[in-house]
């Protein structure tokens, strides 16, 4: 106990003899070390959480949380509504919750009919069927890329025995898209035809799709819809084709001219007139007639008793049959017949004209005059180059080349702003790195100070023990052998000599020890 008390007293004296800066440094280091140790222990001792579900509606989130409470599963709700559970149980919980049907999948499906209740009326069955069909469609639409949540509303009229009173079913679909994502028109059309094909007697034009901002995403395919039906869809498609064609031509001209004149020195604009009319032409051309077959016959008669002419009527006018009166004297009859069949050659041409034919092309080329003035010869060369690159026809297309100074004020301001932002970002990065480096340096210096001070404490303690032991030996020798004074003095002289040598080698330790003794004497 006495040795422990002496050690405690020595440490307390050492702490009191330290300067204020050293005390603050040691306290800061010990606090940082304790905080790091607490964070380390808490990080590895706390369970690692992982996202179970995210982006659920409030109704579905409450259902999932209630189910987790029933299963006694610990969970956390992160900002944004995400539900976190222990990473080792994520897959198991997803599989187990999937058996609950529409708990988190976006609606109740046909599992609604798994439990049939007695006494269910026809109206209740129809309502349950509509709910199940909406839930199944909702689940399917939720799987489409870019769709975060979908709601399906069906209007299924009751069948009527009167055909005039029968109304067609309709459907409305609400889509909530993922952040920073868009949905393509072909995806919307796919959703429309998916719903139309899943509901009996539902037509595609009776399906409406909207987003969270109330924009109508579906364009009806039939004539007479609110957007013009198929005509509007065809017009939009033609405009997209025209825009893509013009953009391709502009990029082609831009790349060619920038190779010659330099990057950023030229601007190209191309306008194309495309013919989207579809035509089918059938042309028949007849050639010169050619004899296919020829047939000729000749009859002659000469004698008496028959007079040519005969009785007026049909029989006397039929060729090949001589008629006359008997006993009219000598008569002569001749008949010649020739038949020719001609064949006419025929050429049939069926031509289908595909839409998208180029009617005319107009191109405008502007050169930055600040980079230098173009000569007339150079402008002509540019016109020829562009005309060749675009396949322009002189009688049909036109091209214009101009040399004008570009207004680069906005561009310069943008460049300056970007440079300032980049400098600010670099400065922040440098400051961050500097603070990290300064913190590391301070930590390193603090560690060195603490280690050095620890070594000093150990050395002081060892020196204090040695000096205390030497002092105890001298006192014991004085008490045991008081009559032998000369040997004791000589031995004391030796110890004093050793003490002087130690003081010469370790002056700081002796000073610290003396301060400790002085503090004990004051105490």
């Amino acid at each position: 106990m006495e040795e422990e008390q002496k050690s405690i007293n020595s440490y307390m004296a050492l702490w009191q003899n330290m300067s204020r800066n050293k005390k603050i440094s040691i306290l800061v280091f010990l606090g940082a070390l304790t905080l790091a140790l607490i964070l380390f222990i808490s990080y590895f001792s706390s369970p690692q959480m992982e996202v179970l579900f995210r982006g659920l509606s409030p109704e579905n989130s409450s259902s999932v949380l209630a189910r987790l409470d029933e299963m006694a599963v610990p969970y956390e709700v992160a900002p944004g509504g995400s539900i976190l559970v222990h990473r080792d149980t994520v897959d198991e919980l997803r599989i187990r919750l999937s058996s609950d049907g529409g708990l988190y999948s976006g609606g109740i499906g046909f599992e609604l009919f798994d439990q049939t209740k007695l006494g269910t009326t026809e109206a209740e069955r129809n309502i349950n069927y509509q709910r199940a069909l909406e839930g199944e469609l909702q689940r399917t639409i939720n799987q489409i890329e870019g769709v975060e949540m979908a709601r399906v509303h069906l209007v299924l009229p009751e069948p009527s025995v009167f055909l005039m009173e029968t109304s067609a079913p309709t459907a409305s679909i609400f889509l909530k898209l993922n952040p920073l994502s868009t949905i393509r028109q072909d995806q919307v059309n796919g959703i429309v035809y998916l719903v139309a094909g899943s509901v009996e007697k539902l037509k595609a034009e009776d399906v409406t799709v909207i987003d969270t901002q109330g924009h109508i995403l579906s364009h009806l395919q039939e004539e007479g819809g609110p957007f013009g039906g198929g005509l509007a869809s065809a017009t939009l498609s033609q405009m997209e084709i025209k825009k893509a064609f013009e953009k391709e031509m502009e990029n082609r001209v831009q790349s060619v001219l920038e190779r010659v004149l330099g990057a950023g020195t030229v601007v190209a604009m191309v306008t194309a007139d495309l013919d989207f009319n579809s035509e089918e032409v059938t042309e028949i051309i007849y050639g010169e007639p050619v004899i296919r077959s020829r047939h000729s016959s000749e009859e002659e008669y000469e004698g008496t008793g028959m007079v040519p002419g005969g009785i007026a009527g049909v029989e006397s006018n039929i060729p090949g049959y001589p008629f006359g009166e008997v006993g009219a004297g000598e008569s002569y009859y001749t008949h010649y017949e020739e038949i020719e069949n001609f064949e006419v050659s025929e050429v049939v041409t069926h031509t289908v004209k595909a839409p998208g034919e180029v009617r005319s092309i107009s191109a405008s080329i502007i050169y930055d005059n600040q980079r230098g003035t173009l000569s007339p010869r150079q402008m002509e060369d540019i016109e020829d180059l562009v005309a060749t690159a675009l396949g322009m026809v002189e009688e049909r297309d036109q091209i214009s080349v101009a040399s004008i100074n570009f207004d680069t004020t906005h561009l310069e301001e943008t460049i300056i702003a970007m440079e300032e932002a980049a400098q600010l970002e670099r400065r922040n990065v440098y400051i961050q790195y500097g603070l990290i480096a300064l913190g590391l340096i301070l930590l390193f210096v603090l560690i060195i100070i603490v280690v050095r001070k620890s070594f000093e404490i150990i050395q002081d303690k060892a020196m204090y023990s040695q000096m205390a032991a030497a002092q105890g030996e001298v006192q014991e020798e004085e008490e045991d052998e008081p009559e032998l004074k000369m040997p004791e003095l000589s031995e004391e002289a030796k110890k004093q000599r050793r003490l002087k040598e130690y003081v010469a080698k370790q002056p700081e330790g002796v000073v610290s020890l003396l301060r400790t003794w002085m503090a004990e004497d004051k105490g």
Side-chain angles (χ1 to χ4, degrees):
M1 294 296 292
E2 293 179 357
E3 294 181 357
E4 294 179 358
Q5 185 65 30
K6 290 181 180 179
S7 301
I8 294 174
N9 293 333
S10 62
Y11 288 136
M12 292 297 295
L14 181 62
W15 174 259
Q16 292 176 359
N17 293 329
M18 286 184 182
S19 62
R20 183 179 179 182
N21 294 332
K22 290 183 179 180
K23 292 180 180 179
I24 294 175
S25 301
I26 293 175
L27 292 176
V28 171
F29 174 75
L30 293 176
L33 183 62
T34 304
L35 180 61
L37 185 61
I38 292 173
L39 293 177
F40 180 80
I41 294 174
S42 63
Y43 177 78
F44 285 98
S45 61
S46 61
Q48 300 296 318
M49 310 299 284
E50 190 172 331
V51 176
L52 178 64
F53 300 117
R54 63 161 55 92
L56 296 179
S57 63
E59 296 81 5
N60 293 333
S61 298
S62 62
S63 301
V64 172
L65 296 180
R67 191 73 176 89
L68 293 177
D69 291 333
E70 293 177 2
M71 299 167 62
V73 176
Y75 62 87
E76 295 179 3
V77 180
S82 300
I83 301 176
L84 306 179
V85 296
H86 194 273
R87 59 168 35 175
D88 297 335
T89 60
V90 170
D91 297 332
E92 179 184 357
L93 288 175
R94 286 178 180 173
I95 295 174
R96 293 180 65 180
L97 290 176
S98 64
S99 62
D100 294 341
L103 183 61
Y104 65 91
S105 58
I108 301 176
F110 283 107
E111 67 274 1
L112 186 63
F113 294 96
D114 292 343
Q115 298 179 356
T116 304
K117 299 180 181 179
L118 296 176
T120 304
T121 63
E122 185 68 22
E124 291 177 348
R125 282 195 294 269
N126 294 335
I127 293 175
N128 290 335
Y129 173 76
Q130 181 174 343
R131 290 178 57 196
L133 186 57
E134 291 176 351
E136 293 292 340
L137 291 173
Q138 185 173 333
R139 293 180 185 179
T140 305
I141 296 174
N142 284 337
Q143 304 302 318
I144 297 177
E145 181 181 1
V147 177
E148 179 179 346
M149 186 188 69
R151 293 292 302 273
V152 179
H153 303 278
L154 299 177
V155 177
L156 304 178
E158 296 182 359
S160 176
V161 295
F162 302 101
L163 297 178
M164 299 297 295
E165 297 180 359
T166 302
S167 58
T170 58
S172 299
I173 304 170
F174 170 80
L175 298 180
K176 181 182 180 182
L177 304 180
N178 292 325
L180 302 178
S181 64
T182 58
I183 188 168
R184 302 188 306 273
Q185 186 61 39
D186 57 343
Q187 291 178 305
V188 177
N189 294 338
I191 294 174
V192 169
Y193 285 104
L194 169 68
V195 176
S198 303
V199 181
E200 184 180 2
K201 297 181 180 180
L202 179 61
K203 298 180 180 179
E205 60 269 19
D206 293 330
V207 180
T208 304
V209 182
I210 65 172
D211 59 5
T212 54
Q213 298 180 353
H215 297 157
I216 299 179
L217 304 179
S218 59
H219 299 283
L220 301 185
Q221 304 297 321
E222 297 294 331
E223 297 271 347
F227 295 98
L231 181 60
S233 178
T235 303
L236 292 175
S237 177
Q238 293 173 6
M239 292 177 63
E240 292 294 332
I241 294 173
K242 181 175 180 293
K243 186 185 299 183
F245 178 79
E246 293 174 348
K247 189 64 177 179
E248 175 64 23
M249 295 294 102
E250 290 174 0
N251 293 337
R252 185 179 300 181
V253 173
Q254 193 91 15
S255 62
V256 171
L257 295 181
E258 285 185 349
R259 292 288 185 90
V260 179
L261 303 176
T265 60
V266 64
V267 175
M269 180 67 68
V270 177
T271 303
D273 183 12
L274 304 181
D275 184 9
F276 290 98
N277 296 327
S278 180
E279 297 180 359
E280 294 185 8
V281 179
T282 302
E283 184 180 5
I284 302 176
I285 301 175
Y286 297 98
E288 295 294 331
V290 179
I291 296 177
R292 182 178 181 181
S293 62
R294 178 180 294 175
H295 174 73
S296 60
S297 61
E298 184 177 359
E299 295 181 0
E300 292 184 358
Y301 177 78
E302 183 177 356
T304 59
M306 183 175 290
V307 179
I311 303 172
V314 177
E315 295 181 354
S316 62
N317 292 324
I318 296 175
Y321 293 92
F323 293 96
E325 296 180 358
V326 180
E330 295 182 358
S331 62
Y332 175 79
Y333 171 75
T334 179
H335 175 74
Y336 177 78
E337 180 181 4
E338 182 177 5
I339 300 174
E340 293 182 350
N341 295 322
F342 291 88
E343 186 73 24
V344 180
S345 62
E346 179 180 330
V347 179
V348 180
T349 303
H350 184 73
T351 304
V352 178
K353 180 182 177 183
E357 181 182 359
V358 179
R359 292 177 179 174
S360 63
I361 299 177
S362 300
S364 298
I365 311 299
I366 303 176
Y367 175 74
D368 188 4
N369 203 19
Q370 296 178 358
R371 307 294 182 91
T373 306
L374 296 176
S375 63
R377 177 62 182 174
Q378 290 177 329
M379 298 179 70
E380 292 179 359
D381 293 340
I382 291 175
E383 290 183 3
D384 296 339
L385 184 64
V386 173
T388 304
L390 298 181
M392 303 177 71
V393 180
E394 184 177 359
E395 296 80 8
R396 182 193 66 182
D397 306 325
Q398 58 181 353
I399 182 173
S400 175
V401 180
S403 180
I404 304 174
N405 292 335
F406 285 5
D407 184 9
T408 58
T409 304
H410 179 69
L411 180 61
E412 293 175 355
E413 293 177 354
T414 304
I415 293 174
I416 293 173
M418 293 177 62
E419 291 178 353
E420 292 178 353
Q423 292 178 359
L424 181 60
E425 184 177 359
R426 287 195 298 269
R427 189 182 303 113
N428 294 334
V429 172
Y430 294 155
I431 293 174
Q432 183 179 2
Y433 288 162
L435 292 176
I436 294 174
L438 180 60
L440 294 176
I441 292 172
L442 292 177
L443 181 61
F444 181 72
V445 171
L446 184 60
I447 292 173
I448 291 177
I449 293 173
V450 173
V451 172
R452 182 178 177 183
K453 185 57 66 178
S454 300
F455 279 117
E456 291 178 357
I457 293 172
I458 295 172
Q459 292 176 358
D460 293 343
K461 185 177 180 181
M463 184 189 65
Y464 177 77
S465 300
Q466 293 177 0
M467 295 182 69
Q471 185 179 5
E473 291 176 357
V474 172
Q475 291 177 356
E476 289 177 358
E477 292 178 356
E478 290 179 351
E479 293 176 356
D480 294 339
E481 299 178 358
E483 68 279 0
L484 300 176
K485 295 182 179 179
M486 293 302 292
E488 292 176 0
L489 292 175
S490 60
E491 187 68 27
E492 184 178 358
K494 293 180 180 180
K495 292 181 179 180
Q496 290 179 356
R497 189 183 303 112
R498 289 197 299 269
L499 183 60
K500 290 180 180 179
E501 292 177 357
Y502 184 79
V503 170
K505 293 180 180 179
Q506 298 290 338
E508 296 179 358
V510 174
V511 172
S512 177
L513 182 60
L514 292 175
R515 289 178 180 175
T516 304
W517 288 349
M518 292 173 66
E520 292 178 353
D521 293 339
K522 291 179 181 180

